[in-house]
């Protein structure tokens, strides 16, 4: 079985695949300083609760946007699963796409993995809209190549900044407002954040398509994707498993290549 690890700025997701079948998935906060042993004890116990042990893991793959976490995640795979991992972004890992950027090495691993999965599932050209710590728009052309994108502050980041910088503004939960015009502080903030992001999604998607020169399929993923998908018809597909499926596809591509060498 394959252990797929998606390490983001906020959360790290661990998923176990048996072929195409996702057997289980667990999420932990991406705390700096967490050691391989801490993760190993936690993860192996969770696996045993699902009825299998660490010896069932034969392969591993890691995508991380937190460079400092990669060493411990790699050690986790070696020490607890005897499975040397593929690490997305390293030169020997074939993604099956070209990164058409001025500085390809700066593109986050999660954005490339999402591009791989979205192109396989929906074809191109497309925009992958990821609601993570940052809200990102990634552009994939008709040949499946990564062409660049847009990075904006994430929804929760914006809410927290608003609360921290303005003494009279409270923390509010993100949610769809009943009206655009808020009659009190909290409804006004909720409207500004929620409908402001809807307007950004619609506006940036339109501008990307105009600059690219053709209509594009828009695929949304990430924690808050479902909340915004219901508010606009600009988003064509909601796909919360995108990153994990991308890791599965990249592992499969590289395993097949090694099998032929």
């Amino acid at each position: 079985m394959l252990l797929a690890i998606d390490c983001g700025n906020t959360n790290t997701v661990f998923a176990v695949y048996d072929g195409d079948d996702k057997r289980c998935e667990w999420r932990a906060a991406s705390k700096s300083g967490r050691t391989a042993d801490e993760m190993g004890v936690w993860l192996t116990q969770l696996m045993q609760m699902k009825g299998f042990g660490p010896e069932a893991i034969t392969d591993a793959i890691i995508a991380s946007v937190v460079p400092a976490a990669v060493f411990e995640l790699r050690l986790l795979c070696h020490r607890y699963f005897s499975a040397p991992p593929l690490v997305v972004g390293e030169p020997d890992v074939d993604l099956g796409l070209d990164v058409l950027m001025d500085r390809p090495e700066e593109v986050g691993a999660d954005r490339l993995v999402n591009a791989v999965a979205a192109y396989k599932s929906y074809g191109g050209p497309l925009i992958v809209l990821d609601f993570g710590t940052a809200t990102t728009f990634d552009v994939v052309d008709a040949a499946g190549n990564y062409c660049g994108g847009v990075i904006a502050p994430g929804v929760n980041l914006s809410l927290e900044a608003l609360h921290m910088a303005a003494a009279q503004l409270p923390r509010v939960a993100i949610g769809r407002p009943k009206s655009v015009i808020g009659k009190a502080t909290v409804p006004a903030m909720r409207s500004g954040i929620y409908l402001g992001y809807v307007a950004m999604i619609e506006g940036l998607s339109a501008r990307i398509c105009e600059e690219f020169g053709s209509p594009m399929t828009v695929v949304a993923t990430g924690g808050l994707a479902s909340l915004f998908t219901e508010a606009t018809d600009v988003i064509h597909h909601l796909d919360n498993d995108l990153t994990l499926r991308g890791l599965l596809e990249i592992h499969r591509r590289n395993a097949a290549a090694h099998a032929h060498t």
Side-chain angles (χ1 to χ4, degrees), residues 67-78:
V70 174
F71 177 83
E72 293 294 336
L73 288 170
R74 192 194 293 272
L75 189 58
L76 167 75
C77 295
H78 278 279

Side-chain angles (χ1 to χ4, degrees), residues 55-151:
E55 69 283 348
I57 303 298
T58 55
D59 298 279
I61 184 167
I62 298 167
S64 176
V65 298
V66 185
V70 174
F71 177 83
E72 293 294 336
L73 288 170
R74 192 194 293 272
L75 189 58
L76 167 75
C77 295
H78 278 279
R79 182 176 289 171
Y80 284 86
F81 305 104
S82 300
L86 290 174
V87 179
V88 175
E90 293 192 343
D92 59 335
V93 178
D94 178 18
L95 302 179
L97 54 74
D98 289 328
V99 181
L100 308 179
M101 297 277 286
D102 295 337
R103 296 179 179 272
E105 70 281 358
E106 292 181 356
V107 183
D110 56 339
R111 301 175 76 183
L112 297 176
V113 172
N114 285 347
V116 169
Y119 184 73
K120 180 173 172 61
S121 295
Y122 308 104
L126 56 83
I127 299 168
V128 181
L129 175 52
D130 189 354
F131 294 90
T133 306
T135 299
T136 57
F137 298 71
D138 293 310
V139 177
V140 182
D141 67 17
N145 299 314
Y146 182 89
C147 301
V150 176
I151 302 173

Side-chain angles (χ1 to χ4, degrees), residues 162-208:
L162 206 54
H163 166 67
M164 294 292 287
Q168 289 188 299
L169 297 183
R171 273 195 180 88
V172 299
I174 185 70
R176 192 169 186 171
K178 293 177 180 174
S179 60
V180 179
I181 302 169
K183 298 292 189 183
T185 300
V186 169
M189 290 174 69
R190 191 166 281 151
S191 177
I193 290 290
Y194 186 87
L195 295 175
Y197 268 82
V198 170
M200 182 183 76
I201 291 162
E202 293 173 343
L204 280 175
S205 295
R207 286 171 180 266
I208 290 168

Side-chain angles (χ1 to χ4, degrees), residues 11-22:
N11 291 313
T12 301
V13 179
F14 299 83
V16 174
Y17 279 90
D18 188 356
D20 287 335
D21 178 35
K22 185 169 69 173

